[in-house]
Amino acid sequence: ALAATLGAGYVGTGDLDLNGLGLASGFGSAVAFDAAGERLALGSSAFAGNTGAVHLFTSSLVPVGNLAFATNPTGTSNVSVSGLAAALASGTNIALEASNDITLASALTVGGAAGGTLALTAGRSILLNASITTANGGLNLTANSGGSDLTTVNANRQSGAAVITMGPGATINAGTGAVNIALTAGTGLTTATSGSVTLNTITAQTIAVSNAGTTTGSNIVLNPGTVLTASGTGRAIDLQARTGTFTNNAGTGAFSLTGGGTYGVFSDNPDNTLEGVTGFTRRYNIADASAFAGFAPAGANVIAYRIAPFLTVTADALSRIYGDANPALTYGLTGFLTGDTTANSTTGAASLSTTATASTGIGSAPITVSLGTLASDLGYQFTLAGADLTITARPITLSADAL
């Protein structure tokens, strides 16, 4: 496959423009590569008035294969996208690591129908400025990670927030392969500042995205027009903003489940989150990723939140006249998050009691609240606040007898 072109006016990725080097005239009468294909000798029969010349070039492209953090720890490794596509098309699994950023500058299109798995691991960011088609191969993107070589990454990672960003127009099509995207907490990294995971359209059997970055703003964002399409069963789309917020700028059509699966979203709280979709079960007080994995009601789409909101159950203050029966004891509920009501957030009823009887003297008697059967399937917690029953004097009418 063509990796680069040398000649007058060629300025594409990996190309060499001979005009810029003043070598265009009389160039290329003889060509020779070394055995590895990394060094090139080009002969010119006539050059700059001389009888001839030989020009030596060293390729900036590294051989296609696995690259570890330590392979080129202080430099930039340029990998031929066509060579990478050919290797993956043969079913070879490829793992590329970089201490700083990994950038896809041109489209990676794997031929055939049984592509190998591509794993990209960056000490800082992964920037997809072009599309990826994997021929049903898996795609694993991991950023803000030192992998198994923290020493190399800590020595070479630059400052700045780690992000995973799909640039304008970039898409991922993994067919029946799995797409796993993770911005980690940066455990063990000297510099672990983190930012958002920003997504465009992805098609795969399963799509799992997590952002565990510890810096404020470590969010998951769906760009306008994004559609996440998953053909798998179970929780086929799993999005976890483990420390930040989920923002759906794509609207109601963001998720497409073509294989009978469900979607799950994990975020901080609904007042910060832009859900944008309908037809899901909401749940609060899901503490972490492990609890989220365990919250999987059969066949249900879910959006779960770390926030543990409280409802206050407050007894109503009441009054009656001495000697009368106690009035019906009532209470109110406050503290609902946006969109929640008593009807859609709670079941059962609180229990109320008072020590007052018809013969209790003028003054006040406490009204006590207990949970009774009151509960919340959404995960609300409860605080209880009592009140007083005020007992007032009974009016007495004195009438003189007629004589």
Side-chain angles (χ1 to χ4, degrees), residues 177-231:
V179 171
N180 298 295
I181 300 173
L183 196 155
T184 77
T187 302
L189 293 180
T190 303
T191 300
T193 309
S194 54
S196 289
V197 175
T198 304
L199 304 176
N200 296 336
T201 291
I202 300 174
T203 301
Q205 184 174 63
T206 57
I207 301 169
V209 182
S210 64
N211 190 340
T214 58
T215 307
T216 300
S218 297
N219 306 320
I220 293 178
V221 180
L222 303 187
N223 283 327
T226 293
V227 179
L228 303 184
T229 300
S231 59

Side-chain angles (χ1 to χ4, degrees), residues 33-40 59 61:
F33 278 102
D34 70 345
E38 297 175 6
R39 294 180 176 85
L40 171 67
S59 173
L61 296 175

